Amino acid sequence: MFGLKVKLPVVPRMVRHALIAAALAFLVAFVHLLQPVDVVFWRLQSRLGHVTPSGEMLFVEMREDTLEGPNKDQVLNAALRELGQAGSRTIFIDLPLGRFGNGNTQSAALEGIDGLDKVRLVGRPLHGDDEGELRFPIENEQASKIQKVAAGRSAGPFGYFWSVPGKIVREDRSYGSFAHALARRDGEAGQEYHIDYRFVPEDFLTLNISDVANSKFDPNSVIGRDVVIGFVSMDTNELPSMPGSGEASISFVPIFAAESMKAGNVAFVDRFEVLGVFALLLFLAAAFLNSIRRYAYLLIGIGFAASLIAPIFTALRIESGASLILLLAYAAMRGLSRWRGSIEMNSGQTGLPTLKALTRKLEADQLQERRAVVAAKLHGLSDVLAVLGDEQKLEYFGGIAKRLKIANTELEIFSDDGEHLVWSDVFEERGILESHLLALRAIFAKPLEIDGKQVDVTVTFSADLSFTDAASRRIGNAIALVDKTSLADLPILLDDQQDVMDREWKVSLQSSIDNALQTGAIFAVFQPKVSLKTGRICGYEALVRWNDPERGFISPAYFIEQCEQAGRMEKLTRFMLEESMRKFQVSDAYQYGGTLSVNVSSTMLSNTSLPEIVCDILEKVGFPEDRLIIEVTETARIHDQLTARSVLSALSAVGVGLSLDDFGTGSAGLETLYNYPFSEIKIDRAFVKDITTSAKARTICEEVVTLGKKLRMNLVAEGIEDQETLQLLTDMGCPTAQGYYLGRPEPTPALDALQKVRLAKN
Ligand code: C2E
Ligand code: MG
Ligand code: MG
């Protein structure tokens, strides 16, 4: 708030964990490491889900024995005739006829068949490899007149065929996809169509080709249907495995693909899309939600579960694996950090949760009601602990915590493992809190009983009420405050926002002062000193002012002390000397020959270079030394008298006047006057303000005036606020006066004090 304070963004641990988990998951997604996990999910979904096919397809199987037998051509030929006559729509021949022997596919199967336009030949890559040459079941004269389609894919990950291409392109030509032809759709080249494996082969009407060839089937089952004649190996190891339903003829892959298309295509969500959504949600939950973060996590978990369950019920394929890594990695990091935290969260000696745990709790509570952070200090704890065993210590602290919770059993008491117990409680009003703490103190008047021993507990309290401050600072502040309490006269101490601002202010004071000196927020004002003999202004006292843009005018009485602590006194003194000399020099008042008094704090008297500093500035400004008076304030704080004396003597030798400020108060008394070479005494306002009402004050002033005369020193009475006081001082023969009545401190040395002094004389 004050001065320069650079706040570095602190990334909360949760956000860091979310980011690390996301980075890891994206990396894993990028190299597709979790494909096996996706496949496991997809298999399960396929197995658990079920959809009924359109019923428009019929499967005619040719088993291995037939395919290997000598009559395969005749069987196929007869079957084609039967199927044609029975009114089938199209017939797809998806058989590896050339698989045995020398691979000759010059089959006689098509001979003498009418309506070959119904028949389609399905080509498959020769070596099962995707780009390989296509091999068709029959490759002779008749076959060349038949429409051809192709089944494109080689097996995907883990031997499953998850999708079919829209077109199968070879160097010489492009073939329609078998699945698309079966579904009567057009496939696009380069496009992948996902296969829904919730279908099962058992739901498809299946006939044996030998039965068909021998007319042993119900023709009604064929009418209007698309027939696929496929091959079934006797060795199940040779059959491809369907993700949802075990081994089946390879023809079921395009059959299922065709059914999927008929049912409206499988929607595919790739891993980067899923991961993007979950990573974003997780990040938002970690970064922005506080009290409802837990629910956000729950929702994300439910979302993820839904992404796994939905594909059982609808045609959907999601690559969820990478998101699983995201969530697991995040959960693991959070769990680990919590576990580590929980070890740190309980103090061994007291058995109570630690202040770290309270910090977390307060941070999490931020959005809730205003809370006071209360601290209790156990006085004489070390003596008590010395006589208690470990178990008894736990009992002791437990007993104290129980008493503290007397009004609110829900309260949680935290400990720093030492003499401080801290907690946070809902705050209503200062008064209520104060009386609550007083009541608690009363309760502790009764000793605790531990193992039959009576143990006294003496406790004082503090509370931090700076509601907006950071949790750890509030706790630190409550503890610092309770350390300032005392059993005898200050058992309870409450701190609030203003104190916090003051603390902040002090912390940044050093840079604030430098800043204020530079920007002109710190400047000099001038208050006239009037000679009561001549009625003329005989000089001005320069007083420092600080007009802070945020806090307004700050009293010098307040900030000069802070300045000293911040080690900025020399800088301020130099500034005031130079600034007031310059301002005075250019003012109209300068020509009347008066003096300029500048306040110098006595702590500067330990600085042996002060005379040099003064000389340098006099020279730099060109100010006559005999018109400068140094007012030494707060002489009580002179520590090293020898140095102070030599510094004052040196200043005196330079020719500047030396004034003892606030004479009569503190230790600005006779001893100081005696010890140092002052040329002027300023009698303090404390006496002057009372001379009209107090005979004692009047006598003191008279005596000081006499003292000044006898010592041949100038005497200034400060703090004259009315005519009566001025009159009395004039009558006493006081030579010089200063006060609001004669002139207030002004930004430029003013000239209008004359009038009032005349009035006093009449
Ligand atoms: P001081 O040197 O005794 O200054 C006199 C103080 O009394 C000034 O307060 C002045 O404004 C105030 N005053 C003057 N006439 C009257 C009056 O008739 N009635 C009342 N009630 N007050 C009057 P200020 O400016 O707040 O300064 C307070 C003290 O701060 C000064 O007491 C001095 O000890 C210190 N101070 C001020 N400026 C400087 C500075 O530049 N350097 C150092 N080291 N100390 C300074
Ligand atoms: Mg002064
Ligand atoms: Mg004074």
Side-chain angles (χ1 to χ4, degrees):
M1 191 178 299
F2 302 104
L4 271 182
K5 220 191 283 175
V6 182
K7 276 198 180 156
L8 289 175
V10 181
V11 182
R13 207 176 310 186
M14 274 164 294
V15 177
R16 216 167 54 219
H17 288 166
L19 293 176
I20 295 172
L24 182 73
F26 270 103
L27 185 74
V28 160
F30 195 69
V31 293
H32 214 346
L33 206 63
L34 284 196
Q35 205 178 21
V37 175
D38 288 332
V39 170
V40 169
F41 287 149
W42 297 346
R43 281 196 61 184
L44 264 168
Q45 291 154 355
S46 306
R47 202 154 280 207
L48 294 173
H50 181 250
V51 268
T52 16
S54 64
E56 291 166 5
M57 294 173 212
L58 170 68
F59 182 62
V60 173
E61 59 174 21
M62 180 185 273
R63 293 186 162 266
E64 196 167 359
D65 49 355
T66 315
L67 190 75
E68 283 180 55
N71 301 326
K72 60 179 178 195
D73 285 354
Q74 287 83 338
V75 175
L76 180 57
N77 192 281
L80 288 173
R81 283 169 203 270
E82 290 288 338
L83 291 167
Q85 277 165 18
S88 61
R89 212 151 52 146
T90 42
I91 305 168
F92 293 85
I93 304 174
D94 183 19
L95 291 170
L97 288 182
R99 199 167 81 125
F100 302 101
N102 58 5
N104 174 24
T105 55
Q106 298 292 315
S107 157
L110 300 176
E111 256 159 46
I113 295 179
D114 301 333
L116 277 182
D117 55 333
K118 264 194 200 183
V119 179
R120 310 273 184 274
L121 291 177
V122 179
R124 285 183 180 272
L126 187 54
H127 303 297
D129 109 56
D130 209 12
E131 300 297 314
E133 186 193 331
L134 288 177
R135 168 58 56 92
F136 290 87
I138 304 162
E139 294 177 338
N140 58 15
E141 180 63 24
Q142 282 130 327
S144 64
K145 294 173 197 144
I146 297 182
Q147 279 194 38
K148 297 191 179 60
V149 292
R153 271 246 167 263
S154 59
F158 305 89
Y160 300 115
F161 303 82
W162 292 108
S163 61
V164 292
K167 284 254 180 329
I168 290 86
V169 185
R170 287 295 179 273
E171 269 166 26
D172 46 344
R173 59 175 288 198
S174 152
Y175 297 90
S177 132
F178 175 16
H180 283 78
L182 199 50
R184 292 164 196 278
R185 300 277 192 286
D186 278 328
E188 255 180 70
Q191 192 81 24
E192 288 294 321
Y193 297 81
H194 292 270
I195 307 170
D196 192 342
Y197 279 107
R198 293 175 302 155
F199 295 103
V200 287
E202 289 72 24
D203 284 347
F204 289 81
L205 184 58
T206 300
L207 302 175
N208 186 291
I209 195 159
S210 306
D211 293 343
V212 176
N214 294 324
S215 281
K216 283 195 235 157
F217 68 100
D218 175 5
N220 285 331
S221 60
V222 178
I223 293 172
R225 289 212 158 92
D226 295 307
V227 183
V228 176
I229 304 176
F231 158 71
V232 179
S233 169
M234 302 310 255
D235 179 358
T236 48
N237 283 336
E238 281 198 24
L239 287 172
S241 171
M242 298 290 142
S245 50
E247 291 74 20
S249 164
I250 189 135
S251 301
F252 276 103
V253 173
I255 289 175
F256 286 180
E259 287 288 356
S260 309
M261 286 180 232
K262 285 189 176 199
N265 283 334
V266 177
F268 181 73
V269 190
D270 93 2
R271 53 194 185 280
F272 293 107
E273 291 166 337
V274 201
L275 191 54
V277 171
F278 281 113
L280 184 70
L281 290 179
L282 195 64
F283 173 76
L284 292 177
F288 299 112
L289 303 177
N290 277 318
S291 48
I292 54 167
R293 184 175 294 125
R294 211 173 284 195
Y295 303 106
Y297 288 159
L298 190 69
L299 273 178
I300 292 173
I302 292 174
F304 184 72
S307 80
L308 295 183
I309 294 169
I312 300 175
F313 302 101
T314 176
L316 188 61
R317 177 146 306 134
I318 307 181
E319 288 183 329
S320 321
S323 299
L324 181 69
I325 280 292
L326 170 79
L327 301 184
L328 289 182
Y330 182 72
M333 279 187 280
R334 296 303 305 138
L336 193 70
S337 127
R338 278 180 177 227
W339 174 73
R340 275 210 204 119
S342 73
I343 290 178
E344 294 169 17
M345 287 302 167
N346 270 295
S347 133
Q349 168 156 285
T350 64
L352 299 171
T354 61
L355 298 186
K356 208 165 190 173
L358 175 60
T359 312
R360 296 258 169 97
K361 189 181 145 148
L362 279 171
E363 279 166 355
D365 261 3
Q366 260 165 16
L367 296 175
Q368 314 207 336
E369 15 11 9
R370 279 152 66 91
R371 289 184 159 268
V373 174
V374 188
K377 177 173 172 165
L378 305 171
H379 294 258
L381 183 70
S382 50
D383 294 339
V384 174
L385 294 185
V387 298
L388 297 180
D390 285 348
E391 281 300 310
Q392 291 173 328
K393 281 178 193 162
L394 290 178
E395 207 181 312
Y396 172 75
F397 285 106
I400 293 173
K402 200 170 159 198
R403 285 192 184 177
L404 294 174
K405 294 201 278 194
I406 210 149
N408 176 6
T409 48
E410 302 278 285
L411 218 58
E412 217 180 335
I413 311 291
F414 300 82
S415 119
D416 69 347
D417 225 0
E419 56 186 0
H420 302 115
L421 299 178
V422 190
W423 65 95
S424 85
D425 202 356
V426 179
F427 176 77
E428 287 160 86
E429 241 177 69
R430 281 180 90 92
I432 295 179
L433 177 62
E434 233 160 338
S435 51
H436 173 64
L437 295 178
L438 275 171
L440 279 180
R441 261 178 67 78
I443 290 171
F444 278 104
K446 195 175 154 222
L448 275 178
E449 194 177 306
I450 290 162
D451 270 353
K453 262 186 255 177
Q454 299 280 318
V455 183
D456 282 336
V457 184
T458 38
V459 57
T460 54
F461 297 102
S462 73
D464 170 281
L465 305 177
S466 62
F467 305 101
T468 51
D469 220 359
S472 55
R473 292 223 323 237
R474 297 193 62 189
I475 295 171
N477 182 37
I479 289 178
L481 271 184
V482 83
D483 281 339
K484 285 187 197 148
T485 57
S486 73
L487 281 171
D489 53 359
L490 190 59
I492 293 169
L493 192 53
L494 304 186
D495 182 25
D496 57 22
Q497 193 66 43
Q498 188 55 47
D499 299 317
V500 173
M501 282 174 62
D502 285 351
R503 262 201 321 280
E504 275 182 13
W505 159 254
K506 282 180 194 169
V507 166
S508 62
L509 191 82
Q510 198 156 318
S511 56
S512 300
I513 291 172
D514 293 348
N515 204 33
L517 287 172
Q518 252 170 30
T519 57
I522 290 181
F523 55 92
V525 291
F526 300 85
Q527 186 178 30
K529 277 160 74 180
V530 175
S531 160
L532 297 182
K533 287 190 190 118
T534 64
R536 289 173 187 261
I537 291 173
C538 58
Y540 295 88
E541 177 178 5
L543 294 158
V544 67
R545 289 292 173 268
W546 185 347
N547 188 3
D548 184 81
E550 277 180 57
R551 314 190 100 203
F553 275 101
I554 302 162
S555 146
Y558 173 76
F559 79 79
I560 284 189
E561 188 193 331
Q562 315 293 343
C563 244
E564 265 169 22
Q565 286 169 10
R568 280 298 183 271
M569 222 36 217
E570 184 180 322
K571 194 161 184 173
L572 183 78
T573 308
R574 281 175 184 274
F575 172 83
M576 280 300 289
L577 281 166
E578 185 169 342
E579 160 102 347
S580 58
M581 283 184 212
R582 286 194 193 282
K583 264 192 174 174
F584 183 40
Q585 220 173 27
V586 298
S587 74
D588 294 340
Y590 186 68
Q591 54 186 313
Y592 293 98
T595 55
L596 173 70
S597 298
V598 179
N599 290 283
V600 172
S601 166
S602 65
T603 51
M604 284 296 293
L605 298 184
S606 61
N607 184 346
T608 48
S609 55
L610 182 66
E612 209 180 311
I613 293 171
V614 174
C615 280
D616 285 352
I617 297 173
L618 283 167
E619 200 170 316
K620 189 167 154 199
V621 181
F623 195 90
E625 61 278 352
D626 57 354
R627 289 183 68 182
L628 178 68
I629 298 173
I630 303 264
E631 277 188 25
V632 182
T633 63
E634 291 195 80
T635 40
R637 299 177 59 198
I638 297 178
H639 294 302
D640 181 352
Q641 297 198 1
L642 267 172
T643 312
R645 195 174 312 154
S646 77
V647 167
L648 285 174
S649 304
L651 281 170
S652 179
V654 168
V656 302
L658 295 176
S659 174
L660 174 55
D661 206 347
D662 308 326
F663 182 75
T665 65
S667 68
L670 294 172
E671 192 187 352
T672 316
L673 194 58
Y674 178 65
N675 275 334
Y676 304 100
F678 286 108
S679 54
E680 181 183 87
I681 299 173
K682 286 191 92 170
I683 180 162
D684 196 72
R685 193 169 66 86
F687 310 105
V688 175
K689 72 177 173 29
D690 292 336
I691 54 171
T692 54
T693 50
S694 153
K696 223 176 184 176
R698 204 161 44 237
T699 310
I700 291 175
C701 280
E702 275 165 3
E703 289 308 314
V704 175
V705 169
T706 315
L707 181 71
K709 270 184 196 152
K710 287 192 173 160
L711 292 175
R712 294 177 198 287
M713 291 169 82
N714 184 31
L715 189 105
V716 185
E718 46 180 15
I720 290 130
E721 292 187 352
D722 51 44
Q723 172 64 34
E724 249 184 297
T725 311
L726 179 65
Q727 187 67 60
L728 270 174
L729 286 164
T730 313
D731 296 346
M732 275 176 208
C734 172
T736 320
Q738 184 183 346
Y740 290 170
Y741 183 68
L742 296 164
R744 291 196 170 250
E746 302 284 353
T748 46
L751 284 167
D752 63 352
L754 232 53
Q755 186 73 23
K756 286 159 190 162
V757 183
R758 292 234 175 84
L759 282 173
K761 283 197 155 171
N762 297 336

